[in-house]
Amino acid sequence: QVQLVESGGGLVQAGGSLRLSCAASGSIFRINAMGWYRQAPGNQRSWVATITSGGSTDYADSVKGRFTISRDNSKNTVYLQMNGLKPEDAAVYYCNMRGMTTATTDFRSWGQGTQVTVSS
């Protein structure tokens, strides 16, 4: 019902920056929270950052001070500004949203992922 599409991944040198975007579409009544996760080869998918409908943000310790999550409610879009990228940040990044559809059902949706590669 709710589809998420990530964009903005790519190749960057260590210390560089990328801005990821994730746009939601479908029968959305409201979005309660948006988040970013990542998964590197051989690793489990791990949480990176979350922003709630009230604007509260939270970050994994590994990215605090370097990453910033933000949203544009009018566009149903969440962003992840990544600065000071490190090789260990390389992963496929996935966005996640939860909320309610216009049919008054809860939804939890994942994007298809966007690749972030960091060269040392």
Side-chain angles (χ1 to χ4, degrees):
Q1 284 281 80
V2 178
Q3 297 80 41
L4 309 181
V5 179
E6 300 102 333
S7 62
L11 173 64
V12 65
Q13 294 186 11
S17 299
L18 285 173
R19 190 192 194 205
L20 307 183
S21 300
C22 175
S25 62
S27 301
I28 300 170
F29 177 71
R30 71 184 182 194
I31 297 172
N32 293 332
M34 309 177 185
W36 288 95
Y37 292 72
R38 65 188 182 186
Q39 186 169 17
N43 292 349
Q44 298 296 313
R45 186 173 299 186
S46 61
W47 168 73
V48 174
T50 298
I51 185 167
T52 69
S53 60
S56 177
T57 60
D58 201 5
Y59 300 90
D61 288 343
S62 59
V63 306
K64 284 181 179 178
R66 300 187 297 120
F67 291 11
T68 302
I69 187 170
S70 61
R71 71 188 194 280
D72 185 336
N73 290 338
S74 68
K75 299 179 180 179
N76 289 333
T77 298
V78 61
Y79 306 93
L80 186 68
Q81 178 67 47
M82 305 184 294
N83 298 326
L85 283 163
K86 304 175 181 179
E88 53 262 43
D89 294 320
V92 177
Y93 283 71
Y94 300 88
C95 65
N96 172 266
M97 295 188 190
R98 60 180 176 88
M100 184 171 290
T101 71
T102 55
T104 65
T105 59
D106 293 340
F107 74 87
R108 294 173 178 84
S109 297
W110 291 91
Q112 82 288 349
T114 185
Q115 177 71 54
V116 172
T117 303
V118 183
S119 63
S120 60

